[in-house]
Amino acid sequence: MKRLNKLLSLVTTERNGCRRLLNSYDSGDSTNYTTQLKSRVQQAEEQLLSCNNHIEKLENDLKMSIEKSSEGTAKYNKLKIEYDVLIKQDDGVKRQVVENTSNVKQEKSNSQNDIEKLELENKRLLEKVEILEARIEQRNLQGDFDPSKVKVVHFSQNPFTHARQLRSAEFEKLREECERLRKKVKMLEEGNTSKPTRIEQIVIDEASPHEVKDLQAQVSSAERKNKRLKEVFAQKIQEFREACYSLTGYRIDVVQDQQYKLKSMYAERSSDCLLFQCNANGKTMLLETDFSLQVKSLIDQYLIQCNSIPAFLSSVTLELFERQTQMMN
């Protein structure tokens, strides 16, 4: 467009120069140069007409260029708007892709954690199945059987059954004899002055003074022996508890059946203790207490990951010992 404007300016300047030249010829002496002037005027007019045509053509070209430029500008603006819209859509798509990628990664991580948990559970169940199969095999070797699969036939004259019946009869006879003698001793010790029954009278009559003394001596000896055993057992139990406390650093108390309370010698408070429960399968589990919540990291590291109660108790002892050492320093 600049080139066309410049060309139009040059043509206009040339046209104006031609007009000035013609005007100068008209104002001069025309007697001697009439023919020549006419031819020049005709040539000038032809050139002027050609210039005008050229100018009109250039103006038309300029107008068309302006129209094309306007159309190009409008098209450019339209394309720019579409480009901006596409850029915004692309940014939205990128953000959505990033969010979807993050969600997929999170889901993948969760899935991997679930898979690891399931693998651990599967491993634990397989170990349990192996233990149960070993127990079943051991019981089968010991003569145990499955009543739903194996039918046992018993002899009508089974020697074992006959021997068991004889043993039961003998045991019942001895039990009755023991009960009779116990009543006899009780009556003699209490010095019962009331009128005895017929059966009691028979028992008293059958008992001689020598038998009574022997029975009393046996009872007294048994009581002394029982008392001595209780004292020895209590002493040994206390010695064993003190030895466990000195060696392991934990005082173990039985709370109830299959439930034990462990208290460390380095405990900061008297209420700090660990509680363990033994189930029917012989597996020991840690129960929740206020102190167990303070050592959750050790529980995760040694009980959940390593499944080792001794390592857990040792780590608790070391941590409590370090705390006391720091407090003393």
Side-chain angles (χ1 to χ4, degrees):
M1 186 179 293
K2 291 181 179 180
R3 186 175 62 82
L4 291 175
N5 289 329
K6 187 175 181 181
L7 184 59
L8 180 61
S9 177
L10 292 174
V11 171
T12 304
T13 303
E14 186 178 355
R15 183 192 63 183
N16 294 331
C18 291
R19 284 182 179 177
R20 285 194 300 271
L21 182 61
L22 290 175
N23 291 330
S24 65
Y25 282 129
D26 291 337
S27 61
D29 188 8
S30 60
T31 55
N32 297 325
Y33 305 101
T34 302
T35 305
Q36 187 177 1
L37 287 174
K38 285 182 179 180
S39 63
R40 288 186 177 181
V41 168
Q42 187 177 0
Q43 291 177 359
E45 287 178 353
E46 291 176 357
Q47 290 180 357
L48 180 61
L49 181 61
S50 176
C51 289
N52 289 331
N53 293 332
H54 188 63
I55 289 170
E56 289 178 0
K57 183 179 179 182
L58 291 175
E59 288 178 350
N60 292 330
D61 293 340
L62 179 61
K63 186 176 181 181
M64 292 177 64
S65 299
I66 292 172
E67 291 177 355
K68 289 181 179 180
S69 176
S70 300
E71 292 177 357
T73 303
K75 190 174 182 180
Y76 169 76
N77 294 331
K78 183 178 179 181
L79 291 175
K80 185 177 181 182
I81 293 172
E82 292 178 355
Y83 174 76
D84 294 337
V85 172
L86 291 175
I87 289 296
K88 292 180 180 179
Q89 292 178 354
D90 184 61
D91 292 339
V93 170
K94 286 182 179 179
R95 286 195 298 270
Q96 187 174 2
V97 169
V98 171
E99 292 176 357
N100 293 335
T101 304
S102 178
N103 293 332
V104 169
K105 288 182 179 179
Q106 184 66 28
E107 291 178 357
K108 183 179 179 181
S109 177
N110 295 334
S111 300
Q112 289 179 351
N113 293 332
D114 294 338
I115 290 171
E116 291 177 357
K117 291 180 180 179
L118 291 174
E119 288 178 351
L120 292 175
E121 183 68 17
N122 186 27
K123 184 178 179 181
R124 186 181 66 81
L125 292 175
L126 289 175
E127 292 177 354
K128 190 174 182 180
V129 168
E130 291 178 357
I131 293 172
L132 292 175
E133 289 179 351
R135 289 181 180 176
I136 292 172
E137 185 177 357
Q138 183 179 5
R139 293 183 65 180
N140 290 333
L141 293 175
Q142 292 175 354
D144 198 2
F145 61 91
D146 187 1
S148 62
K149 298 180 180 179
V150 180
K151 184 176 181 181
V152 179
V153 179
H154 297 280
F155 293 105
S156 59
Q157 299 294 330
N158 193 344
F160 176 74
T161 304
H162 181 66
R164 186 169 59 182
Q165 291 175 354
L166 291 177
R167 182 178 177 83
S168 298
E170 184 179 359
F171 177 77
E172 186 66 23
K173 184 178 179 181
L174 292 174
R175 189 182 66 79
E176 292 176 356
E177 181 69 19
C178 183
E179 186 67 25
R180 184 178 66 81
L181 293 174
R182 187 180 291 109
K183 289 181 179 180
K184 184 191 297 185
V185 172
K186 185 177 180 181
M187 291 175 62
L188 292 174
E189 287 180 349
E190 293 178 353
N192 193 354
T193 57
S194 61
K195 186 177 180 180
T197 61
R198 185 171 180 275
I199 297 176
E200 292 174 349
Q201 186 65 39
I202 294 173
V203 171
I204 293 172
D205 293 340
E206 290 179 355
S208 63
H210 182 68
E211 290 179 352
V212 172
K213 289 182 180 180
D214 289 342
L215 291 173
Q216 288 178 346
Q218 291 177 7
V219 170
S220 178
S221 176
E223 289 179 351
R224 288 195 302 271
K225 186 181 293 185
N226 189 23
K227 183 178 180 181
R228 178 59 181 165
L229 288 174
K230 287 182 179 179
E231 292 176 355
V232 172
F233 285 157
Q235 182 181 358
K236 294 299 181 182
I237 290 172
Q238 185 63 27
E239 290 177 359
F240 180 74
R241 284 169 56 84
E242 293 297 331
C244 291
Y245 183 66
S246 300
L247 294 174
T248 64
Y250 288 95
R251 187 177 299 280
I252 304 174
D253 296 320
V254 180
V255 179
Q256 58 185 14
D257 188 22
Q258 300 296 324
Q259 194 173 103
Y260 306 96
K261 181 174 72 174
L262 278 70
K263 183 178 179 182
S264 175
M265 64 169 59
Y266 301 113
E268 298 176 352
R269 293 179 295 273
S270 59
S271 60
D272 292 345
C273 64
L274 297 171
L275 199 61
F276 289 91
Q277 175 76 40
C278 295
N279 55 18
N281 297 328
K283 187 175 181 180
T284 305
M285 298 180 297
L286 176 66
L287 303 180
E288 182 177 337
T289 60
D290 294 337
F291 179 68
S292 65
L293 297 176
Q294 301 177 13
V295 292
K296 186 170 176 48
S297 59
L298 299 179
I299 293 174
D300 295 337
Q301 183 177 0
Y302 293 101
L303 291 184
I304 296 177
Q305 295 181 7
C306 301
N307 192 22
S308 176
I309 294 178
F312 167 68
L313 295 176
S314 300
S315 62
V316 172
T317 301
L318 289 175
E319 183 171 345
L320 294 176
F321 178 75
E322 290 177 358
R323 290 182 186 176
Q324 283 198 0
T325 305
Q326 292 176 359
M327 291 175 63
M328 292 175 63
N329 294 335

